Amino acid sequence: MWENRRMDNTDLFICIDHVGLAVADLDEAIKFHTEVFGWRVLHREVNEEQGVAEAMMGTGSQLPESAQIQLLAPLNENSTIAKWLTRNGGPGMQQLCYRVADIDAVSATLRERGVRLLYPEPKTGTGGARINFVHPKDAGGVLLELTQPGTGH
Ligand code: CMX
């Protein structure tokens, strides 16, 4: 079962980097996810360009089984997250993010395969990562983020 778990030349993605949850209030969401579910805050930042205040929450960071969720709160009513919260009537799963080693190479491959990326060039995401997104209409109804971690990830 595990012999297929090595990275292969045909692999585009290293792993699921995180699942992103849209929330209305970041501090309240952090309190809930730490006190009830035992997540730890790994990192917090504001990304003006993306219109979000965010927190990366994690479990045992050095373990292969470690996991991350990202709490995303809107900075203003024009934020993508504000629109998402209105459309969905409250908080929930907004995105699935795959970690990649080379976002330019992966983007080129996806474009060759007819998948549209939202930005012509990657933008800056969590901890200086280079990020881009596949529109949910091109990814089976799920907003897919691609992230190539930066030095501060
Ligand atoms: N997951 C699944 N489907 C989604 C979705 C999501 N997160 N967001 C929108 N959709 C669907 C809508 O339900 C709608 O479907 P129907 O047409 O069937 O009703 C369709 O997509 C609407 O598309 P749209 O008009 O282009 O919708 P939006 O204006 O809401 O924009 C999108 C959607 C993906 C372009 C926008 O959310 C976006 O630019 N996302 C990328 C940036 C982002 O999410 N930033 C915040 C996170 C930052 C970070 O992770 O660092």
Side-chain angles (χ1 to χ4, degrees), residues 2-152:
W2 299 109
E3 58 270 23
N4 287 329
R5 290 293 297 273
R6 283 174 285 112
M7 277 297 273
D8 188 275
N9 283 342
T10 58
D11 288 346
L12 293 186
F13 310 131
I14 297 171
C15 62
I16 292 174
D17 189 89
H18 61 263
V19 171
L21 308 183
V23 303
D25 183 292
L26 189 59
D27 289 324
E28 271 179 29
I30 288 174
K31 188 169 157 49
F32 174 72
H33 286 276
T34 51
E35 290 182 3
V36 178
F37 294 127
W39 290 99
R40 284 183 274 131
V41 178
L42 302 179
H43 174 79
R44 273 183 85 145
E45 74 179 70
V46 168
N47 186 329
E48 299 276 353
E49 188 178 34
Q50 291 295 327
V52 297
E54 58 171 271
M56 196 65 83
M57 315 290 287
T59 58
S61 60
Q62 302 309 317
L63 301 171
E65 301 84 2
S66 68
Q68 295 186 139
I69 59 168
Q70 183 185 37
L71 304 177
L72 293 158
L75 285 182
N76 54 56
E77 73 264 17
N78 297 321
S79 164
T80 302
I81 299 300
K83 288 185 204 152
W84 193 97
L85 288 168
T86 303
R87 181 186 277 148
N88 289 276
M93 206 179 291
Q94 188 254 355
Q95 58 165 267
L96 171 64
C97 178
Y98 294 139
R99 189 181 305 164
V100 300
D102 180 345
I103 197 168
D104 299 311
V106 171
S107 301
T109 302
L110 290 177
R111 287 190 175 108
E112 273 166 30
R113 294 177 185 177
V115 173
R116 290 163 299 170
L117 300 186
L118 290 186
Y119 310 137
E121 295 295 331
K123 291 185 185 278
T124 303
T126 310
R130 300 177 72 220
I131 62 168
N132 209 333
F133 293 86
V134 178
H135 194 280
K137 294 293 176 196
D138 276 12
V142 176
L143 175 62
L144 275 192
E145 180 180 1
L146 306 176
T147 184
Q148 177 184 331
T151 48

